[in-house]
Amino acid sequence: MEFRAALTYRTAYLSSFVMMLMQIYLLTVVWRAFYAGHDEVDGFPLSTMTAYATLATLQYQFVSPWRSSPIDQRVREGKVAVDLLRPIGFPGQMLAGQLGWACAAVPVLVVALPFALLVGAGQAPASTAAAFAYPLALAGAVLVNQLLGLLLGMVSFWTLEVSGALMAYRFVAQFFSGALVPLWFMPGPVKAVAEWLPFQATAYTPAAVYLGRTEGAGIAAALAVQGAWIVVLGALTAFVWSRARDRVMSQGG
């Protein structure tokens, strides 16, 4: 249902992809200016950086869609009372809806891919191991981000409105995820903070695996970190929901 709903908002849906192509172009221009004619900076080739900017932006559009969760709208409209009567638990319903909304990005991403490669740059997987591990890393990124979106949406049980929190969240998440600047270029203290937050599992991890910046045992470690965050965020979601459902009051017979 959320997949179909996403496709009905054609203007917002398509404009997000125009902005995605613009972001790829601007990031490519910035990185080329940063390199200032040099082929490498600190051992990282320009071709890898432009490919990273393109890949990270494309996958972030899928992993982190412009609508994070339907929970706040359902809370404001009182539809959550009906959701609680359904045989599937409320968090499971909302998670399925979020995944449906995210999957609506796939058709346009396929169409936009040639244009993204035209304004940015592409690169094949760094190795056979990277080719096999990347889908796993991308799936982990989707799950981590969807659980974060679920937690953010549940804030509406206390505030009713999460648009302000969502704006702040998107700024912090996009930066610390490595969607704009890869972790290997971040200053030491900032990189240390990013590595302790779950956001890097949503953008940097799959891109680094694909481009070969994470190799061998590092791939297994990166996937393990994603798995750990999925477990932690899942448990935190269950705890928050146990508190949030107590705030639901239904009237009528």
Side-chain angles (χ1 to χ4, degrees):
M1 290 172 62
E2 289 293 334
F3 180 92
R4 295 181 62 183
L7 297 179
T8 63
Y9 295 96
R10 293 182 180 88
T11 301
Y13 184 65
L14 295 176
S15 64
S16 66
F17 289 95
V18 173
M19 295 300 295
M20 176 191 69
L21 294 176
M22 184 177 296
Q23 179 173 316
I24 291 173
Y25 172 74
L26 292 175
L27 285 174
T28 301
V29 170
V30 168
W31 284 116
R32 286 174 178 164
F34 176 78
Y35 273 68
H38 296 88
D39 293 331
E40 290 188 3
V41 172
D42 291 339
F44 298 100
L46 175 60
S47 59
T48 297
M49 278 311 310
T50 52
Y52 179 93
T54 303
L55 178 61
T57 304
L58 283 171
Q59 67 184 20
Y60 200 73
Q61 186 69 35
F62 168 59
V63 170
S64 182
W66 57 270
R67 179 184 177 184
S68 62
S69 176
I71 296 178
D72 59 328
Q73 181 178 354
R74 302 193 71 80
V75 169
R76 288 195 303 270
E77 295 175 356
K79 294 180 180 178
V80 66
V82 178
D83 295 331
L84 293 177
L85 298 176
R86 293 181 173 141
I88 299 176
F90 180 77
Q93 294 176 50
M94 296 301 103
L95 185 60
Q98 291 175 192
L99 288 171
W101 192 278
C103 288
V106 175
V108 180
L109 277 175
V110 172
V111 175
L113 180 60
F115 300 96
L117 296 178
L118 183 63
V119 299
Q123 190 170 308
S127 64
T128 303
F132 281 102
Y134 176 71
L136 297 176
L138 186 61
V142 171
L143 287 175
V144 169
N145 194 76
Q146 293 304 322
L147 288 170
L148 287 169
L150 200 61
L151 283 168
L152 182 62
M154 286 184 185
V155 173
S156 61
F157 281 97
W158 287 269
T159 65
L160 296 182
E161 178 60 54
V162 297
S163 57
L166 179 59
M167 291 179 63
Y169 168 82
R170 285 191 177 278
F171 173 78
V172 173
Q174 193 170 26
F175 177 76
F176 283 107
S177 70
L180 298 176
V181 180
L183 267 62
W184 63 68
F185 273 147
M186 289 184 178
V190 178
K191 181 180 178 181
V193 171
E195 289 176 340
W196 279 98
L197 294 174
F199 307 121
Q200 51 92 17
T202 66
Y204 174 79
T205 296
V209 168
Y210 183 93
L211 296 173
R213 307 314 305 184
T214 300
E215 298 178 300
I219 294 178
L223 295 177
V225 169
Q226 284 185 321
W229 274 117
I230 291 170
V231 172
V232 170
L233 293 173
L236 184 58
T237 298
F239 172 76
V240 173
W241 171 238
S242 69
R243 298 295 184 270
R245 66 186 174 191
D246 294 336
R247 299 186 60 82
V248 179
M249 181 177 64
S250 178
Q251 296 180 338

